[in-house]
Amino acid sequence: MQLLTISGSPHVHAEQPVQKIMWGVVLALIPAYLVSLWYFGIGALIASIVAVVTCIGVEYLVARFILKQTPTIWDGSAVVTGLLLAFNVPSNIPWWQLVIGSLFAIAVAKMSFGGLGKNPFNPALAGRVFMLISFPVDMTSWPLPLQNRFVLVDALTGPTSLGIVKEGVKNGESISQLTQQIPSQMDMFLGGIGGSLGEVSALALLLGGLFMLYKKIITWHIPVSYLLTVLLFTGVLWLIDPTKNIDPVFHLLAGGLMLGAIFMATDMATSPMTWSGMLIYGFGCGILTVLIRVWGAYPEGVSFAILIMNAVTPLINKGFKPKRFGMNK
């Protein structure tokens, strides 16, 4: 009779099985997905199908024929990776580029480390950054919402709000001039702005986040510390010089901050184990995001910030270890 199972780390005990957690994340992504379908139409549909099918197919092939493992494609993790990767690209991205990005996310960022739970970096973000470096033009050509619902590759495109602010400040324009060129904060909260599939509506992302909190898929520590750090840091910059720094609410609602803070920085395999470690991790993500957005080469900094903090996670776990079983301290 087998009493103990010996396996490699990480060892995490949770009341919910992996399959239930992953499909819970898929349910939480539905509001944002429906909004992206409304604004970007057939392009969003095709991008999500291509990413999800490729991620599932690649994971099956690698597990079955290279790692000689029983494929676990039905646990939902490959579906989550595919959806999140699709959420991080423009809806008019050529399908073959998305196939390459999905291949990198699963084969390189996930399965080469042994599969689910062993990957040090978030697979979807790794795939997104790989695509950004490999296909910079297509990855930064953002379709205009509503006007491209039945258009695929040759869509009407425009800069994102973050891009407008970044380029305008660099050219010496004041914030008051730039705010006239970007959507209102209410539009950014509800949707209808240019960008990747998953960043058009902060409200839809927050609904998904509340669902995951209710289902105990995530805790509040990483999203709140991440968002609060960005709010405070950009608030200080705004108070110092409001003519060159846009207000903190804009930074909260623009770009992929909500998507990253709620759905990707909270990835169990790549984030710290303890609550204190999570708070430090969220703080680091927030600081790095603002540094890249304000002083970096890219207008957006969420993907790079989370991946950098993924690399720091083992160090955080070493410094903030969970209490040993049976010990008071």
Side-chain angles (χ1 to χ4, degrees):
M1 181 173 66
Q2 184 179 10
L3 297 177
L4 300 172
T5 300
I6 300 175
S7 62
S9 60
H11 304 287
V12 176
H13 174 75
E15 296 178 358
Q16 303 184 72
V18 170
Q19 190 173 19
K20 187 175 181 180
I21 291 173
M22 291 299 162
W23 287 111
V25 176
V26 173
L27 288 176
L29 287 169
I30 287 178
Y33 184 56
L34 293 177
V35 172
S36 72
L37 289 177
W38 171 256
Y39 284 113
F40 299 115
I42 191 170
L45 179 65
I46 291 176
S48 57
I49 291 174
V50 168
V52 170
V53 170
T54 305
C55 285
I56 292 174
V58 172
E59 181 162 321
Y60 176 84
L61 294 173
V62 173
R64 178 74 173 79
F65 297 104
I66 297 179
L67 298 180
K68 310 296 184 186
Q69 299 174 347
T70 301
T72 55
I73 56 175
W74 301 117
D75 64 12
S77 62
V79 176
V80 170
T81 300
L83 277 176
L84 287 177
L85 181 59
F87 272 33
N88 278 276
V89 300
S91 62
N92 63 337
I93 193 80
W95 67 268
W96 59 270
Q97 294 181 10
L98 200 45
V99 168
I100 293 174
S102 303
L103 179 66
F104 183 89
I106 295 294
V108 178
K110 180 180 178 182
M111 300 305 285
S112 64
F113 294 97
L116 181 64
K118 300 172 183 174
N119 49 291
F121 300 100
N122 184 292
L125 284 179
R128 194 256 178 186
V129 170
F130 177 78
M131 293 177 69
L132 184 63
I133 296 171
S134 304
F135 318 111
V137 176
D138 289 324
M139 282 291 289
T140 53
S141 297
W142 309 104
L144 298 177
L146 294 176
Q147 302 180 41
N148 302 283
R149 284 190 285 185
F150 303 102
V151 182
L152 290 178
V153 178
D154 296 322
L156 297 171
T157 61
T160 62
S161 301
L162 282 171
I164 292 172
V165 172
K166 182 86 174 180
E167 195 64 25
V169 171
K170 190 170 71 176
N171 293 329
E173 296 183 66
S174 67
I175 293 298
S176 59
Q177 291 174 304
L178 294 171
T179 51
Q180 299 174 9
Q181 304 173 36
I182 59 178
S184 68
Q185 291 182 350
M186 183 56 71
D187 285 338
M188 294 169 69
F189 180 70
L190 297 176
I193 58 175
S196 63
L197 268 64
E199 66 181 41
V200 294
S201 172
L203 175 60
L205 295 168
L206 286 171
L207 289 175
L210 290 174
F211 174 79
M212 291 198 294
L213 285 171
Y214 174 71
K215 289 293 184 180
K216 298 182 179 177
I217 297 173
I218 63 172
T219 66
W220 62 267
H221 302 81
I222 292 176
V224 171
S225 59
Y226 192 167
L227 297 173
L228 196 58
T229 300
V230 172
L231 187 73
L232 293 176
F233 194 177
T234 55
V236 169
L237 296 176
W238 178 60
L239 289 173
I240 292 173
D241 190 351
T243 64
K244 294 183 179 178
N245 298 295
I246 199 160
D247 64 88
V249 177
F250 168 85
H251 278 284
L252 280 187
L253 300 176
L257 179 59
M258 289 283 181
L259 177 63
I262 296 171
F263 288 98
M264 291 184 288
T266 52
D267 178 14
M268 290 181 179
T270 59
S271 59
M273 294 182 289
T274 61
W275 290 356
S276 54
M278 290 178 185
L279 293 173
I280 293 171
Y281 175 85
F283 173 75
C285 287
I287 291 290
L288 288 170
T289 297
V290 178
L291 289 176
I292 295 170
R293 279 187 175 185
V294 177
W295 292 287
Y298 290 98
E300 178 62 281
V302 172
S303 300
F304 294 105
I306 296 176
L307 286 176
I308 292 171
M309 290 308 295
N310 286 167
V312 182
T313 293
L315 191 61
I316 297 175
N317 282 334
K318 199 172 183 62
F320 298 88
K321 294 179 181 178
K323 185 174 62 178
R324 280 187 292 174
F325 183 73
M327 301 291 289
N328 291 326
K329 293 182 178 179

